[in-house]
Amino acid sequence: MNRKKNSWLITTLLILGSLFILFPLYLTVTIAFKTPPEMAGNLLALPKTWSFENFANAIEMTNFFNAFKNSAFVTIFVVIFTVLTNSLVSYAIARNMHKKFYKFLFFYFLSAMFIPFPIIMLPLVKQTSAWGMDNLVGLIILYIVFNLSFNVFIYIGYIKSIPIELEEAAIMDGASTWGVFWKVIFPLLAPMNATVAIITSLGAWNDFMLPLVLLSDREMATLPLVQYIFQSQFSTDYNLAFASYLMALAPMIIVYIFAQKWIISGVMKGSIK
Amino acid sequence: LLGLTKALALFSQGVVNMNKKSNVFLIIAIPAFILFFIFHSYPALQGIFYSFTDWKGYGDWNFVGLKNYLNVFQDGRAGDAYLFTFKFAIVSTIIVNIISLAVAIGLNSKIKFHKTLRAIYFLPYILSILIVGFIFNFIFAHFLPQIGDAMGWEFLSRNILGNPDLAWIGIVIVAVWQAVSFNTILYLAGLVTISEDLYEAASIDGAGVWTKFWKITFPLIAPFFTINMVLSLKSFLMVFDQIVALTGGGPGKSTESISLLIYRGGFEGGEFAYQSANAVIYFIVIIIFSVVQLKFLNKREVEN
């Protein structure tokens, strides 16, 4: 752990290790551009021509833009409403923890974190489909409600650190509870809002299980679900499959390239709370 | 449910009279409570209720007492799913934590390209596990056998996912590939809190790298070690996406996890009540695992 001596040795080891992470992505990109005859040759080789034909076929076959639209719709609404509602609920609980009902509510939401999803899966699906919630709006509502469990926990830790004097000053100036929250507290929660938004968007964008069990209409399938639905067709044409995988992964990778610093620190903040 | 809302309405009315401020808080808290109850607790209670019946997911049902529970314990398929899930989760948890800790220590030392390397190691966290699984499926089925044939290595020349004895290793590899990212970041958060002075003081006393790790680094990041162990074990016990993408539970039923069994039996096999009982057992198992692990690891922390 001598920080000065080993720097190049450790750097080299870490670079070698990072190849394990980059390799599957390299394979994905190159295969997505290859043609089926090229697959018989060396799989590590670069494609002979960089043709976009596989992508065009995959877009048509999987109705990519429809799935992209579904994923984007779900993710955007889940993120916005999770941040707005979960922070508000957390604030109500945090400022009333001395009362029994709110204390109960805190532990009630918290304890739900220990209940694995498969426990509630079967009855939940029965119920939501009976109520006509087996669609994207239902999916959005469920994510927002389920997110409460973890978010209440991390928001409350942060709200407790905000001095109550700030609110009292605003109330003196005639602000209502409602006004205090949106004008004073919510802006102060910005770092936590960012953390919650990042974790929520990754969760909603990449989730497979809830869309799988909830959505009954293929037209509503999100990006991961589409890859699953087309799996049997993909197994005969890997170039098509990898073009489709790459397009499904690309939006998040592009966001990550530009925002990795915030994403990493956001996830870090959320997890050490 | 009606009774509950009524009670809450009465309760809230009582508070409304007290003052306006708490009124606003209740208007926020009560709908949140009701929604969470309807979509989370109520299905959980329903699941427990139906686990004592013979409901198939449709049609009539009767109470059957503990029959479903007794059957789960005698069911070879369920037993195998539990064994596979435990084996997978324990092995993956150990490997992920060893690699993550090593990577985090590496990233925390004075290295070149620090930011780029950190970004690469965290990259798997943002990717869909299902799609990553499909990509690895190809690697196991086509890429590795090609290398094996070219090199004349017998053990690589066949798809390990097609071998009932080895398929689970493929799932461990994918799960570890993905999970190292998050665990590394957590360990890094712990490592940056350790003061450089401690290591310098230890160096002056003649401590080697190994001693410094066990006497300084490890005790100081013990809380992070505990969190990582508990979180990774819990998430691996729920393994689903990786298996759907890699083996679909096969070959045979050799890699069928508990989540996959509940999903299949419950939705496709008409075993709604039976799999509900299985889910309740699964829940109890996860709680026991988490509590035992926390107790054990907390004790270590104190001793250190």
Side-chain angles (χ1 to χ4, degrees):
Chain A
M1 237 140 295
N2 191 324
R3 288 189 174 200
K4 275 156 204 136
K5 247 193 242 162
N6 291 332
S7 94
W8 273 110
L9 175 67
I10 295 174
T11 308
T12 314
L13 287 174
L14 284 173
I15 290 172
L16 287 176
S18 71
L19 295 180
F20 278 100
I21 292 166
L22 294 175
F23 173 70
L25 298 171
Y26 167 81
L27 217 52
T28 309
V29 173
T30 52
I31 291 176
F33 282 97
K34 285 181 181 174
T35 56
E38 282 177 81
M39 297 298 283
N42 182 1
L43 285 172
L44 285 173
L46 288 170
K48 289 198 189 85
T49 54
W50 295 84
S51 136
F52 283 88
E53 207 189 314
N54 294 325
F55 294 93
N57 290 341
I59 286 171
E60 200 184 334
M61 182 174 158
T62 65
N63 201 352
F64 171 80
F65 290 110
N66 183 52
F68 178 84
K69 196 191 74 198
N70 292 339
S71 279
F73 174 73
V74 170
T75 306
I76 290 167
F77 277 93
V78 170
V79 168
I80 293 173
F81 284 101
T82 296
V83 169
L84 294 180
T85 61
N86 291 7
S87 61
L88 189 61
V89 172
S90 308
Y91 175 65
I93 296 175
R95 286 293 180 249
N96 294 287
M97 276 290 253
H98 53 282
K99 291 179 189 154
K100 262 188 193 152
F101 173 64
Y102 292 92
K103 198 168 192 169
F104 157 76
L105 214 52
F106 175 68
F107 287 107
Y108 175 63
F109 289 142
L110 201 63
S111 62
M113 274 204 278
F114 295 96
I115 300 182
F117 180 68
I119 313 299
I120 65 166
M121 176 173 73
L122 301 175
L124 179 74
V125 169
K126 280 269 159 222
Q127 186 153 70
T128 45
S129 65
W131 290 344
M133 282 176 63
D134 49 352
N135 49 40
L136 295 178
V137 176
L139 195 60
I140 291 170
I141 294 172
L142 288 184
Y143 281 133
I144 297 169
V145 173
F146 292 165
N147 284 342
L148 267 173
S149 189
F150 175 71
N151 291 343
V152 157
F153 179 59
I154 64 169
Y155 268 127
I156 286 181
Y158 196 82
I159 292 171
K160 277 185 178 164
S161 69
I162 298 174
I164 204 154
E165 287 78 15
L166 282 173
E167 291 163 51
E168 281 163 0
I171 292 167
M172 291 290 211
D173 294 342
S176 62
T177 312
W178 199 248
V180 168
F181 178 76
W182 294 116
K183 292 201 183 105
V184 181
I185 304 297
F186 192 74
L188 286 172
L189 288 177
M192 265 306 121
N193 290 335
T195 290
V196 167
I198 289 162
I199 296 175
T200 306
S201 57
L202 286 169
W205 182 268
N206 287 330
D207 189 35
F208 166 62
M209 203 169 186
L210 197 55
L212 172 73
V213 298
L214 194 77
L215 302 175
S216 50
D217 185 354
R218 263 187 175 210
E219 283 295 300
M220 290 179 182
T222 54
L223 279 170
L225 190 56
V226 161
Q227 313 309 314
Y228 173 72
I229 291 171
F230 282 91
Q231 200 44 34
S232 56
Q233 275 112 305
F234 282 163
S235 61
T236 54
D237 188 342
Y238 286 108
N239 306 100
L240 187 69
F242 276 65
S244 180
Y245 300 156
L246 186 57
M247 284 190 296
L249 294 175
M252 214 26 121
I253 296 178
I254 292 166
V255 171
Y256 182 67
I257 289 171
F258 290 106
Q260 53 98 357
K261 207 179 105 195
W262 294 286
I263 293 177
I264 295 176
S265 76
V267 172
M268 200 188 251
K269 260 186 231 144
S271 54
I272 56 181
K273 270 284 161 199
Chain B
L1 205 70
L2 252 168
L4 189 79
T5 14
K6 246 183 201 162
L8 278 172
L10 279 176
F11 175 66
S12 60
Q13 231 157 36
V15 188
V16 169
N17 299 334
M18 275 162 54
N19 64 46
K20 231 178 127 190
K21 198 179 164 188
S22 51
N23 187 9
V24 176
F25 286 130
L26 279 171
I27 289 172
I28 298 162
I30 289 172
F33 171 65
I34 293 174
L35 282 172
F36 202 82
F37 186 86
I38 292 174
F39 292 119
H40 199 278
S41 314
Y42 185 56
L45 294 172
Q46 264 186 315
I48 296 170
F49 176 82
Y50 282 117
S51 72
F52 297 107
T53 72
D54 61 0
W55 201 42
K56 294 187 194 69
Y58 48 86
D60 300 333
W61 54 268
N62 297 298
F63 278 111
V64 293
L66 289 172
K67 199 174 143 215
N68 289 325
Y69 289 89
L70 296 173
N71 285 342
V72 171
F73 284 113
Q74 286 161 6
D75 177 354
R77 187 176 173 191
D80 289 344
Y82 276 87
L83 279 183
F84 161 73
T85 309
F86 292 156
K87 179 171 73 176
F88 163 81
I90 293 170
V91 171
S92 303
T93 301
I94 294 170
I95 298 175
V96 162
N97 278 282
I98 293 172
I99 296 178
S100 305
L101 190 52
V103 172
I105 289 172
L107 288 174
N108 193 47
S109 30
K110 211 179 166 193
I111 51 163
K112 311 282 172 198
F113 319 116
H114 169 258
K115 282 202 174 123
T116 313
L117 281 167
R118 193 180 73 156
I120 293 174
Y121 277 100
F122 191 67
L123 178 66
Y125 183 77
I126 65 145
L127 303 177
S128 148
I129 304 179
L130 184 83
I131 299 175
V132 165
F134 284 137
I135 294 168
F136 270 92
N137 192 334
F138 176 85
I139 293 178
F140 289 128
H142 299 277
F143 177 72
L144 289 179
Q146 195 186 55
I147 299 284
D149 284 341
M151 299 292 199
W153 293 337
E154 188 70 30
F155 68 99
L156 271 186
S157 62
R158 273 189 213 97
N159 181 1
I160 60 164
L161 298 178
N163 183 333
D165 297 324
L166 299 179
W168 72 281
I169 296 174
I171 298 165
V172 169
I173 292 172
V174 176
V176 169
W177 186 89
Q178 236 262 338
V180 161
S181 52
F182 178 73
N183 287 263
T184 299
I185 286 299
L186 252 185
Y187 279 128
L188 257 180
L191 288 170
V192 294
T193 62
I194 303 177
S195 154
E196 186 65 14
D197 302 348
L198 280 173
Y199 292 114
E200 272 164 31
S203 296
I204 294 167
D205 291 345
V209 171
W210 201 238
T211 321
K212 278 190 240 171
F213 174 77
W214 286 112
K215 296 284 173 197
I216 302 173
T217 315
F218 196 72
L220 285 175
I221 57 159
F224 292 87
F225 180 69
T226 308
I227 298 170
N228 263 336
M229 290 294 275
V230 174
L231 287 184
S232 30
L233 186 72
K234 198 185 144 226
S235 73
F236 288 139
L237 283 173
M238 301 210 259
V239 59
F240 184 82
D241 297 15
Q242 293 95 329
I243 294 174
V244 169
L246 288 166
T247 63
K253 300 261 176 281
S254 60
T255 58
E256 190 171 61
S257 70
I258 307 167
S259 302
L260 190 63
L261 176 61
I262 294 173
Y263 168 76
R264 287 240 171 103
F267 288 120
E268 293 162 11
E271 304 175 332
F272 191 100
Y274 178 66
Q275 292 304 341
S276 293
N278 189 11
V280 172
I281 296 172
Y282 177 41
F283 166 60
I284 294 169
V285 164
I286 286 192
I287 294 288
I288 292 173
F289 257 82
S290 304
V291 169
V292 168
Q293 215 188 1
L294 269 174
K295 276 231 164 102
F296 176 73
L297 291 168
N298 274 335
K299 218 177 114 204
R300 280 198 54 130
E301 262 176 54
V302 173
E303 280 169 1
N304 272 320

